[in-house]
Amino acid sequence: MQAELQRLRADIGRLEQARRALEAQLAGSVAPSAPITTSAELQATLRRFLKQVGLIVQAEKCVIMLYDEETGDLVATSPALGISDEEVAKFRIPATQGISGQVFREMKPVLCHDAMSDPRTVNEMSALLKVRNSITVPLVAERKNAEDMVVERKTIGIFHAYNKRFAEGFGEEDVALLKSLARNAAAVISTAKTYIAVADEKRELEHTFQSMVSGVMVVSGEGKLRLMNAAARQIFGVPRGDRLGGRLQEVIFNSDVEDLVNNALTSGIENIRELSIFTPEERVFQVQTALLRDDDQQVSGVVTTFNDITELRNVERMKTEFVSSVSHELRTPLTSIKGFVRTMLDDSEGYYERDMQREFLGIIDSECDRLVRLISDLLNVSRIESGRSLELSLKRVNLPELIERRVESQRSYTSRHEFVVHCDDGFPELVADEDKVDQILTNLLSNAVKYSPEGGKVTVDARDCGDTVSVSISDEGIGIPPEHLDKVFLRFHRVDSMDTRQAGGTGIGLYLVKHLVDAHRGSMEVTSEVGKGSTFKFTLPKTQPEQEGSTE
Ligand code: ADP
């Protein structure tokens, strides 16, 4: 009775198998009609294939192992049938070992009726996957020529089907079925891998092309715009979705660029030029054309690149202006010094009395101070520029006294300004670099005077804020336009107006002030209204980390 039942089961299994085989034949191969270009498509196709194979040969589990040329291993791949992803991840064996290795090397199927006792199996994996019996066939990819003749044959891996259902084990008819199915699968896998590699490469190139900072566009030999990356689209205001393919002049409206491209196409002249392009604000680009040639060296198009050099040109311009303003700032006090010295030297008759001479010497002295300040500013800028930090020489500083001294010296330069100083009572000493705080105050105070040519009140307000102290210096001068407020601390930046030009300057004062405040781990802010005046406020901590408790 038991034996009868078993035979019946086997018959049903065989019938089922035959029916599925027929179905598979009717359905054609596993090869999909359109080429597979993504890993996801390949996975979906393999999943269908494994399910089909499982039904046709009545296997509980199926897995594909692909040969890894780098390690020389056969590596199980997902998806598999009846095997979890974790088990698949563990399943890799050298192509020299076990039944897998034998099938791979010999390119012949192998049947195994009792996996656990078969000496050829790699037992560990058989136990893990609970393999009772198996059939393994090679995955051989064939390359055919135009006459459909096989010109190359390559084993790309192997295919395992495990644990025959409804019967003791796999038989020869399963081998035949699996061999032909595996041939299809190998063809699909190897073609898909090639397509995926090409598609991946294409995607990578596309991403690189699109994320380039420089604008790039390609124009065909017929003058049609073929490609444009995101940066180029932005330069010429071509929306992302807009299709290309039209003539260049229909898409970008810039005769200089057209001339450059046409010149390359018609005369074969590759060129490099600096062009101003409105994007919509005016920017300077270095535009370069390079010819594209086909295999026969015929010109097939032009690649044009656009590098935005606006900032570079701005810095160059600012540097030139800086050199001329520094020369001016150096010459002014020197002219004055020279004038007064000459006057006294030429005064052989003693025309100028002692008081007058002292006044001249006083002017010479303050002009010398001005020169020393400018030179020390320049030296500090070069220190910062070369990446060296501004070292602090810390000591206890009496800020109200320092403020008073600096205000006094400013008073002596101007009669048009009124100076008002507010200082909190019992103002504490702070630990700082006195010369540098002096430089901060001098720069801010001299700016307050310089940029209020009509005179007015200059107010200094010093406050004790607990862990920090703050000093604000306000004037009633020309003020700063809002769009310049965050730029005045940049090196060489000057607001360009009649008043500032007349005032003279180098554009490094506030840049330095900011760095000197930063070196003390302080902060800096500015508020201003054009025509009403400006307030510069800096805040410094009362102590500095390295020197806490160890100052003079
Ligand atoms: P400089 O005064 O040598 O030009 P600064 O770095 O000290 O350089 O200042 C940068 C620019 O900020 C000045 O050119 C000026 O346009 C503006 N500025 C600075 N201080 C004031 C102020 N108190 N009022 C108005 N504008 C100012």
Side-chain angles (χ1 to χ4, degrees), residues 217-227 248 261 265 292 300-304:
M217 68 179 199
V218 178
V219 174
S220 70
E222 301 80 47
K224 298 213 167 131
L225 190 53
R226 286 262 164 266
L227 291 172
L248 180 62
V261 172
L265 279 178
L292 277 175
S300 60
V302 182
V303 188
T304 313

Side-chain angles (χ1 to χ4, degrees), residues 367-425:
E367 292 296 338
C368 283
D369 285 350
R370 199 166 137 190
L371 280 176
V372 169
R373 267 201 317 273
L374 179 62
I375 288 163
S376 115
D377 278 1
L378 290 172
L379 286 174
N380 272 329
V381 169
S382 92
R383 243 193 122 75
I384 297 167
E385 294 297 288
S386 63
R388 285 175 293 161
S389 60
L390 294 170
E391 274 162 33
L392 299 184
S393 154
L394 298 175
K395 60 189 230 175
R396 291 192 190 284
V397 177
N398 183 331
L399 196 59
E401 239 178 64
L402 196 57
I403 292 174
E404 213 37 72
R405 254 188 280 146
R406 280 305 136 238
V407 167
E408 262 325 298
S409 49
Q410 286 300 324
R411 258 197 199 108
S412 64
Y413 299 137
T414 167
S415 53
R416 283 204 237 189
H417 298 83
E418 181 196 346
F419 290 87
V420 182
V421 180
H422 293 299
C423 227
D424 277 349
D425 286 339

Side-chain angles (χ1 to χ4, degrees), residues 431-449:
V431 177
D433 183 321
E434 187 163 359
D435 285 346
K436 295 199 166 58
V437 178
D438 194 353
Q439 232 175 324
I440 297 171
L441 287 168
T442 308
N443 272 322
L444 293 179
L445 278 167
S446 68
N447 274 355
V449 171

Side-chain angles (χ1 to χ4, degrees), residues 447 450-451 475 480 488 493-495 500 505-507 509-510 534 536:
N447 274 355
K450 192 162 76 169
Y451 295 110
D475 61 62
I480 302 168
V488 287
H493 189 89
R494 307 197 69 224
V495 178
T500 50
T506 53
L510 288 180
S534 316
F536 286 85

Side-chain angles (χ1 to χ4, degrees), residues 7-71:
R7 211 173 320 120
L8 210 59
R9 266 211 202 109
D11 283 347
I12 292 171
R14 252 193 298 279
L15 274 172
E16 178 70 1
Q17 179 180 317
R19 188 176 73 78
R20 296 287 173 193
L22 211 61
E23 258 180 24
Q25 266 176 9
L26 284 174
S29 70
V30 286
S33 46
I36 293 169
T37 53
T38 66
S39 300
E41 284 169 2
L42 177 61
Q43 294 235 332
T45 306
L46 289 180
R47 194 165 284 122
R48 278 199 306 276
F49 166 70
L50 289 163
K51 212 162 151 193
Q52 222 171 32
V53 174
L55 285 169
I56 293 168
V57 297
Q58 290 299 323
E60 264 178 31
K61 305 173 187 227
C62 292
V63 61
I64 291 168
M65 296 187 89
L66 294 179
Y67 181 62
D68 179 345
E69 284 182 11
E70 261 172 47
T71 59

